[in-house]
Amino acid sequence: MANDGPVEHGYPHLETVRAAITALYKRLSYDTVRTYPTSVLPVDVAFCDTDDLYLGAQRVAHELVRHYRLPDARLVVSFREMRHAASVELAAGPEYFVELNDRFRDHRRDIGAALAHEVMHVYLHRLDLSFPGVRDNEILTDTAATYLGAGWLLLDAYREDGASSQKLGYLTPEEFGYVLAKRALVFGEDPSVWFTSAQAYTAYAKGMELARGDGQQPPLTAAGWAGRRRYARDRRHAPTGPPQPGVRYAFSPDGSGRLRVSFPCPTCHQRIRVPVRGRVRARCALCRSVLECDT
């Protein structure tokens, strides 16, 4: 939690975020991911100053348990002084103890954001899905919470001006915007209508630009002229040419010596390998996206 401190910007964790999206599809399957078409709605996690602190926190936690489809999980929420925004005790269940930073006693509108992250920890714990290392595992948790419909709360908790700042989660605001945009492109949902933070809207717009760019990289037919020209040059020198920096496709021969190109799926980032033979329609086996390519 950045509390009146510097907020990191940009995409320093982008590759881990993309790996997290792939891992989510692999562990849950396409069919399960598609059962989360609707995000948590603001009305379901609204928290006003007149609400009882503990009863209100329990209500919001219950709503997030319902959204993530953990019907037999019970969360007990408490508050204490701590360095981080929140923590959860990952035991065998079905009861889990969540502690929130005392700061949320006076910033109740952001309790839903903190709980979205902690309840996702429980969800991933039950799935037995994790990344090695604390940092990468927290990035996985933020990414999963966002992709499955609760992470817009974390981005909306980002506020920054000349005198103060606040950001929850391990992703940068732009990375949250990127994952939200990836979700929006899949489900046709616009989370920006729920933002109360102007900075959140800006971060989402930047993330959407990058997310759309994923679908405009060669060998996809939507690639721009410069990308297509570079791809053609790299193809002429493949597979003996040196690896090219800044590109995500790679050439290699198949068992018969014919050239193939591999590239990440713009939806789930699983690598796809197709023959180099002009126009090709590829179907991602993981997320079922159908991709028009010019190899």
Side-chain angles (χ1 to χ4, degrees):
M1 177 173 66
N3 180 13
D4 293 335
V7 175
E8 187 177 25
H9 288 277
Y11 303 94
H13 317 113
L14 184 58
E15 290 311 309
T16 307
V17 167
R18 286 169 168 165
I21 293 174
T22 306
L24 202 59
Y25 271 97
K26 285 183 176 179
R27 186 65 182 87
L28 289 182
S29 80
Y30 164 85
D31 290 326
T32 302
V33 170
R34 296 293 299 191
T35 62
Y36 290 86
T38 305
S39 291
V40 174
L41 297 176
V43 66
D44 294 329
V45 292
F47 205 130
C48 66
D49 291 339
T50 58
D51 289 342
D52 179 271
L53 177 65
Y54 292 94
L55 291 178
Q58 293 294 151
R59 173 182 57 79
V60 173
H62 176 75
E63 179 57 34
L64 288 162
V65 166
R66 184 204 63 79
H67 176 77
Y68 290 141
R69 299 189 181 90
L70 295 167
D72 59 337
R74 299 189 300 272
L75 268 69
V76 179
V77 183
S78 62
F79 298 80
R80 71 174 177 88
E81 290 186 11
M82 56 195 304
R83 177 170 171 260
H84 297 290
S87 65
V88 60
E89 180 183 327
L90 294 175
E95 196 167 70
Y96 300 88
F97 294 90
V98 177
E99 294 180 317
L100 299 183
N101 192 300
D102 264 341
R103 173 184 174 87
F104 292 113
R105 293 178 182 271
D106 300 318
H107 296 78
R108 299 184 181 189
R109 60 184 285 192
D110 297 322
I111 285 177
L115 288 174
H117 180 94
E118 301 308 319
V119 179
M120 178 50 68
H121 268 304
V122 175
Y123 183 88
L124 295 176
H125 174 68
R126 290 192 168 191
L127 282 178
D128 194 26
L129 175 58
S130 64
F131 278 180
V134 173
R135 169 187 167 276
D136 286 0
N137 202 53
E138 295 291 355
I139 291 170
L140 168 65
T141 303
D142 275 343
T143 302
T146 305
Y147 205 84
L148 296 185
W152 72 267
L153 291 162
L154 285 154
L155 179 54
D156 195 43
Y158 162 54
R159 291 180 285 277
E160 189 173 17
D161 56 38
S164 62
S165 64
Q166 174 183 282
K167 185 189 76 69
L168 303 183
Y170 286 72
L171 301 185
T172 67
E174 293 78 14
E175 287 168 341
F176 272 120
Y178 173 77
V179 182
L180 276 174
K182 300 296 282 189
R183 172 183 166 80
L185 293 172
V186 168
F187 291 105
E189 183 182 67
D190 181 10
S192 65
V193 298
W194 303 320
F195 292 150
T196 61
S197 164
Q199 293 90 348
Y201 187 90
T202 300
Y204 175 65
K206 291 180 179 178
M208 178 60 81
E209 183 179 358
L210 182 62
R212 291 191 187 279
D214 287 345
Q216 298 168 349
Q217 301 298 314
L220 300 174
T221 56
W225 176 84
R228 295 294 312 158
R229 185 178 182 186
R230 181 173 187 174
Y231 176 86
R233 183 195 65 198
D234 293 342
R235 182 180 57 197
R236 284 196 301 269
H237 298 288
T240 58
Q244 298 299 312
V247 300
R248 304 190 70 202
Y249 53 80
F251 296 98
S252 61
D254 62 14
S256 303
R258 291 186 291 265
L259 196 63
R260 287 179 172 264
V261 62
S262 65
F263 61 95
C265 170
T267 300
C268 70
H269 304 288
Q270 169 87 336
R271 291 197 74 84
I272 299 170
R273 193 165 180 250
V274 296
V276 175
R277 65 182 185 200
R279 289 272 180 165
V280 175
R281 177 173 289 177
R283 185 174 186 268
C284 178
L286 189 59
C287 70
R288 303 184 187 178
S289 296
V290 177
L291 309 172
E292 297 291 341
C293 309
D294 187 355
T295 60

